[in-house]
Amino acid sequence: MDSGQVQQAFDGLHERLSRDSRDVDACLLMVACGLRLGQLHHVHAAFQKLLALDDAPQRWLAQLGEFAAQLDAGGFRPLAQSWLHEVKALASRYGCALPDPLPLPAHLATERHDPVLGRTLKRYPPFEGASYIYAIDVAGTCNLRCPSCPVGNMRDVGKPTGLMSLDVFKAIVAKIATDQPATSPIIHLFNWGEPLLHPQLADMVLAVRQRGWRSYISTTLNVARGLDALVIARPALIKVSISGDTAQTNEVTHARSRTDRVLAHLRLLSELLSLHQSDVPEQARTRVVLAFHEYKHNGECGQRLRAMAAELGFEFNSSLAVLQPVEKNIDVVMNRATPVVQQVVELMEMSPRQISALNRMRRSGQFDCESRFNMTAINFDGSVSLCCNTYSPALEIHPNFLQASHQTLEAKKYQHGFCKTCMSNGFHYSVNDQLPPVAWGQDGA
Ligand code: SF4
Ligand code: SF4
């Protein structure tokens, strides 16, 4: 069936279930159509009905895995988890293999009181990683000026720029080992800078690997200096972000990028990985992800970049471009965006206003933000930001990570008033937990 036919069938099923929501066959068909159309609230209601009717679960259990995956991808992680918990015993009775529910990582408390909001917030298994994450901006400077990023859109705030010394980096790593917020933290060697500008990046990767921890790099690959040493040092992940495979696309939103150079460097990276890592066990090799930022002007590039990633042995990820930092998103909602920001927002498939409205509709306010409960952001000069999504020096919470205990930093995050503003506008990094209601007549779910 093409999508028009699926939609027609969906509309018919909606009517049928409005007349009789106990119609098992209609519920089963609603699950199939709803999953095709991404109508997750209708699928949720159909599964609720099927579970309550307790009629031949083997007819629908297998689709629950797909439903949980779609819920999770839509940010409804707690709901996805509660479904997997709910049907675990039933699935085992009928021999149906479903993914195990994700546990909350052992290093996280299940909840924390927020003194500014005056209520307790729940935690969830974080999307960004199962361990605690440090975002260390080892190169607090960038050769690009992307208008969606504070390096391009907040040059007026006087944020210092520079490189972190290897000694300071090692001291920070040693302190993390002492603080030990989790046994094996993940170290991002970037936040608002281009890590490949740092001449000792490979030494930093090695310092992390020597502790048995994983390091992640995010780059645009406009520079390739030290790329061979980096591949030999073996970070766990290199993400290459791009917004097109032509100058006319990529260089609009990755401003100052040289696309021809980036494409050549992607090939070079693939060759270096073959040269230096083919003898390394697969699980210890560097994963490379080509991360495509979707805008209105670059839709045609996605398939070509996906094919290129496959050819080079890289993973591919495509996601809607978003505006950073959180301060600029709030500016858009408050009607005080600068022309640079307004122009780039025009190119986005989803504007900060739409994201804000959608998140406020989908979130009850019961859940915490993982940018603060599972991450700490350290600038090149050792100062600590409120989180990895804030840029303004005014939103820093401590001038020196080395002189602040983990508990002090956590307390400062939870006492900061800006998180309340961010959350009330729906820009925090959290989960959705409210599906729209479904009315299927008197017996409707
Ligand atoms: S998004 Fe990345 S590449 Fe672009 S200006 Fe910001 S730090 Fe540089
Ligand atoms: S609530 Fe907003 S400002 Fe606060 S930590 Fe989360 S993303 Fe950052």
Side-chain angles (χ1 to χ4, degrees), residues 190 217-220 237-241 287-291 293:
F190 62 93
I217 307 286
S218 176
T219 173
T220 62
L237 178 90
I238 299 177
K239 183 174 93 174
V240 183
S241 62
R287 281 174 56 209
V288 178
V289 180
L290 184 60
H293 298 195

Side-chain angles (χ1 to χ4, degrees), residues 1-11 33 36-37:
M1 278 203 277
D2 64 29
S3 54
Q5 290 167 318
V6 179
Q7 184 63 52
Q8 231 180 359
F10 176 84
D11 294 342
C33 287
R36 280 276 302 271
L37 297 171

Side-chain angles (χ1 to χ4, degrees), residues 206-254:
L206 280 174
V208 174
R209 194 148 69 77
Q210 275 158 7
R211 299 217 174 237
W213 304 345
R214 285 166 293 157
S215 63
Y216 293 4
I217 307 286
S218 176
T219 173
T220 62
L221 270 194
N222 272 274
V223 280
R225 189 187 59 188
L227 196 57
D228 48 354
L230 179 66
V231 169
I232 292 167
R234 256 194 298 128
L237 178 90
I238 299 177
K239 183 174 93 174
V240 183
S241 62
I242 196 163
S243 50
D245 59 350
T246 61
Q248 293 73 22
T249 49
N250 188 41
E251 292 167 31
V252 175
T253 35
H254 274 76

